[in-house]
Amino acid sequence: MIRPDIIDLLRVKPGKKFRLKDCNPGWKQTDEFEELGKDALKEKAKAILDANLADLAQAQDLLYADDRHAVLVVFQAMDAAGKDGTIKHVMSGVNPQGCQVYSFKKPSAEELDHTFLWRYQRCLPERGRIGIFNRSYYEDVLVVKVHPELIGRQLPRKKETFGKAFWKKRYEDINAFERHLVRNGTVVLKFFLNVSKDEQKRRFLERLDRPEKNWKFSPSDLAERGYWDDYMAAYEDAIGATSTPEAPWHVVPADHKWVTRAVVADVVTTAIRGLDLRVPELTDDERKRLDAARAALNAEE
Ligand code: ATP
Ligand code: MG
């Protein structure tokens, strides 16, 4: 396990002014880490990831058996921050039956005909499952804030402007939505994979230079990179306004994949283990039925 005080550094404190520039996307999160050095820290992170993957598989089995809670894991990030790879690695040990992954792209005409939370509401994890949102309703206060024209007809007819008040209402809607989920047994874990602009450039160039990675590059990725500062401002506002005690944000350093994966696996595993999960207990009647079944099987030739 990663020490709770380290995870605490990455958790956004509700009600406090949040500044993205205070968050380090690299590995030198503390003086202690710096002293330890990159290679030693990487070894440690890999060992923690391995241990957590085994624990997560067990925790998920229990979540499924207990069947009272669901876990919603939200990933938000700029392109090439490593959402896909993190999901692939962190979930590599879990039972696919207990896990649902949804990737949200540009909304369809049908989706735009509903309120902005509708399409996400339909994909929420069932009790006993881990649901992963690869992008989420936060896009509606991120990409949509950077490009307000995307909002289409989701705006009431009366001319509303995209001022502060508009986005504040959306943050409130999101907080209310998440509070509803948490009150009804869903654990909500939110991760912003914090990649630096330099590292994004390096990863884009790698996608362009290596033929087997070309398919991962889309020209629109470069166009969105042009709005980097607007995105950072939108992330800062959204994360600050929606990191609540019941559903806090974690700003995960994403310039090194081994850091990202170790942190995400640790937070997810610790959260599930912190639930009061039990294998369902049998009633006396059910136990009698099992005894009868055992007796019947033993009596077979
Ligand atoms: P990858 O590039 O790794 O395949 P991705 O998540 O970037 O994964 P893309 O198909 O490249 O997937 O991009 C999805 C696009 O859909 C993103 O640009 C995202 O901002 C956009 N999108 C997601 N939700 C919304 C929304 N509610 N409104 C408008 N655009 C959205
Ligand atoms: Mg993309």
Side-chain angles (χ1 to χ4, degrees), residues 79-80 83-84 103-107 112 119-120 134-137 139-140 143-144 150 207 215-216 218 220-221 224 231:
D79 284 302
K83 285 182 281 110
D84 291 359
S103 297
F104 294 99
K105 314 280 179 187
K106 286 202 171 64
L112 283 175
R119 66 170 181 158
Y120 310 99
N134 182 351
R135 300 187 187 272
S136 67
Y137 39 90
E139 290 292 324
D140 295 84
V143 67
V144 180
L150 288 173
R207 289 179 178 186
W215 64 274
K216 284 193 177 183
S218 134
S220 69
D221 292 352
E224 292 316 296
Y231 272 105

Side-chain angles (χ1 to χ4, degrees), residues 101-162:
V101 185
Y102 293 95
S103 297
F104 294 99
K105 314 280 179 187
K106 286 202 171 64
S108 67
E110 186 194 14
E111 288 167 342
L112 283 175
D113 270 347
H114 293 269
T115 61
F116 80 98
L117 290 171
W118 181 76
R119 66 170 181 158
Y120 310 99
Q121 166 87 40
R122 310 167 83 207
C123 300
L124 290 170
E126 300 156 38
R127 255 178 248 290
R129 313 281 166 108
I130 301 175
I132 296 180
F133 281 5
N134 182 351
R135 300 187 187 272
S136 67
Y137 39 90
Y138 283 99
E139 290 292 324
D140 295 84
V141 290
L142 295 166
V143 67
V144 180
K145 191 175 184 192
V146 175
H147 304 286
E149 66 279 8
L150 288 173
I151 206 152
R153 294 169 68 90
Q154 281 185 332
L155 199 63
R157 184 182 290 277
K158 85 176 163 54
K159 260 271 175 273
E160 220 178 322
T161 53
F162 296 106

Side-chain angles (χ1 to χ4, degrees), residues 11 15 25 40 43 60 62 66 80 83 87-88 112 137 143 150 172 205 213-214 219 226 233 238 242 246 260 269:
R11 192 173 297 127
E43 281 300 301
Q60 184 215 17
L62 201 52
D66 182 68
K83 285 182 281 110
I87 294 168
K88 181 167 135 190
L112 283 175
Y137 39 90
V143 67
L150 288 173
E172 283 170 8
L205 284 173
K213 290 204 169 186
N214 283 172
T242 60
E246 56 274 4
T260 317
T269 310

